[in-house]
Amino acid sequence: MTISLYDISVKNYQQTLGAVGGFLEKGLAHCRERGLDPEAIVNTRLHPDMLPFRFQIHSVAHHSAGAIAALESGVFRPDRGLQTADYAALQSEIAEARKVLEKLTPEAVNSHEDGEVVFEAGELRRRFKAQNFVLSFSLPNFYFHAATAYDILRSLGVPIGKRDYMGSLRMES
């Protein structure tokens, strides 16, 4: 069985971005039902030394659509995102990442299979082959930030469960 760069990246990003969009919507509904301000969520942290919900959601977009852009450009840099993003802006960022990925073709993504991506953070430089960038860096970060955002919402009482995190499974018909 052969699995392509498109299969290991875009298809996984799309599934989880759909789930994140769904649990963001459930978070907003939870706030409306209880008369809570959804803006209080954007700065919520699981622990004082962890980055806030806003950063977690931004990172989900950055490690998906941004990772594909890195396959094309050959460079990936950390991005702190909008420091003042509100809940609606976070929802829009996830929707935009989904739109970017929907436009991609397998041929376009797979054309970067032999490429390299350099991770740059200040003076730090790390070189990856495209597949290793996705499998050992991008996807683990992507899932970490998606799970952390999910956990923040759960910790605030949003009624979401594992199915919400999993999103639409790609089952055989």
Side-chain angles (χ1 to χ4, degrees), residues 11-39:
K11 287 187 175 188
N12 286 301
Y13 297 143
Q14 287 174 323
Q15 178 179 339
T16 299
L17 283 168
V20 171
F23 66 65
L24 282 172
E25 190 57 42
K26 286 188 174 187
L28 185 59
H30 176 78
C31 288
R32 288 180 178 148
E33 290 167 7
R34 287 168 177 66
L36 304 172
D37 182 3
E39 302 318 316

Side-chain angles (χ1 to χ4, degrees), residues 54-64 79 141-142 145:
R54 171 186 19 79
F55 179 80
Q56 306 305 328
I57 295 297
H58 173 73
S59 294
V60 169
H62 187 55
H63 282 283
S64 56
D79 183 353
N141 273 286
F142 175 73
H145 294 295

Side-chain angles (χ1 to χ4, degrees), residues 90-103:
L90 298 175
Q91 288 182 291
S92 294
E93 189 168 18
I94 293 300
E96 183 58 33
R98 292 179 74 186
K99 287 179 190 173
V100 166
L101 296 176
E102 286 170 4
K103 295 177 185 175

Side-chain angles (χ1 to χ4, degrees), residues 13 17 24 28 33 35 40 44-45 58 61 69-70 83 88 92 96 121 127 131 134-135 141 150 155 157 161 168 171:
Y13 297 143
L17 283 168
L24 282 172
L28 185 59
E33 290 167 7
T44 299
R45 300 167 187 255
H58 173 73
Q83 299 298 311
S92 294
E96 183 58 33
R127 289 195 179 291
Q131 183 177 12
V134 171
L135 289 171
N141 273 286
Y150 167 91
S155 76
S168 296
M171 298 180 286

Side-chain angles (χ1 to χ4, degrees), residues 2 20 26 61 72 104 115 119 125-126 148 152 154 167:
T2 302
V20 171
K26 286 188 174 187
E72 295 169 355
L104 297 171
F119 171 73
R125 304 274 183 280
R126 297 285 188 255
T148 302
I152 289 170
R154 268 307 271 140

